[in-house]
Amino acid sequence: WCTFCILRPLWQTVESLFILYRVTGNAKYREWGWNIFQSFEKFARVPSGGYHALKDVYVDNPPSDDIMTSFFLSETLKYLYLLFSPPDTINLDEYVFNTEAHPLSKIKCTY
């Protein structure tokens, strides 16, 4: 079992919740995303600002790894923002995301 959380594996989960919510409109995906965000706030938020990785997620007061990688802001928090934004914020009919969560406008092909 993995006991640490570097804040990275979660972005794929949050990305999936965002896409699933946008496609289905099912509010449970927003609820799950909100639970994830609240957990970050409770366990990983640093009082001076930012977030830190956790060394052991199976203890009540997890020790800090004292690092925050850039992908947490650029991917995880971006997808959480989009999960709760209006549907016309980066319309999925007009944009796709690359592996780094950057929106790219779709190319309109005419044959």
Side-chain angles (χ1 to χ4, degrees):
W1 292 93
C2 178
T3 61
F4 60 90
C5 174
I6 61 168
L7 308 175
R8 180 169 192 122
L10 223 32
W11 79 263
Q12 290 108 345
T13 302
V14 175
E15 176 187 18
S16 297
L17 295 175
F18 160 64
I19 299 294
L20 287 165
Y21 175 72
R22 285 284 183 93
V23 170
T24 68
N26 191 326
K28 73 178 173 185
Y29 300 116
R30 277 186 164 176
E31 291 171 26
W32 295 347
W34 183 245
N35 289 338
I36 289 169
F37 178 73
Q38 287 179 314
S39 293
F40 282 137
E41 288 291 301
K42 182 176 181 179
F43 297 108
R45 181 136 179 116
V46 176
S48 60
Y51 298 82
H52 60 81
L54 305 173
K55 291 183 179 180
D56 187 348
V57 297
Y58 292 102
V59 297
D60 287 335
N61 294 308
S64 165
D65 207 8
D66 201 24
I67 60 168
M68 182 181 73
T69 49
S70 63
F71 53 73
F72 176 70
L73 296 173
S74 65
E75 297 171 19
T76 305
L77 291 184
K78 183 188 298 179
Y79 281 121
L80 280 168
Y81 168 79
L82 289 170
L83 177 62
F84 295 98
S85 66
D88 61 344
T89 305
I90 307 184
N91 185 325
L92 294 182
D93 291 330
E94 299 171 11
Y95 292 90
V96 295
F97 290 91
N98 70 6
T99 57
E100 299 301 318
H102 300 300
L104 305 170
S105 52
K106 291 181 179 179
I107 297 172
K108 293 174 177 51
C109 295
T110 56
Y111 294 98

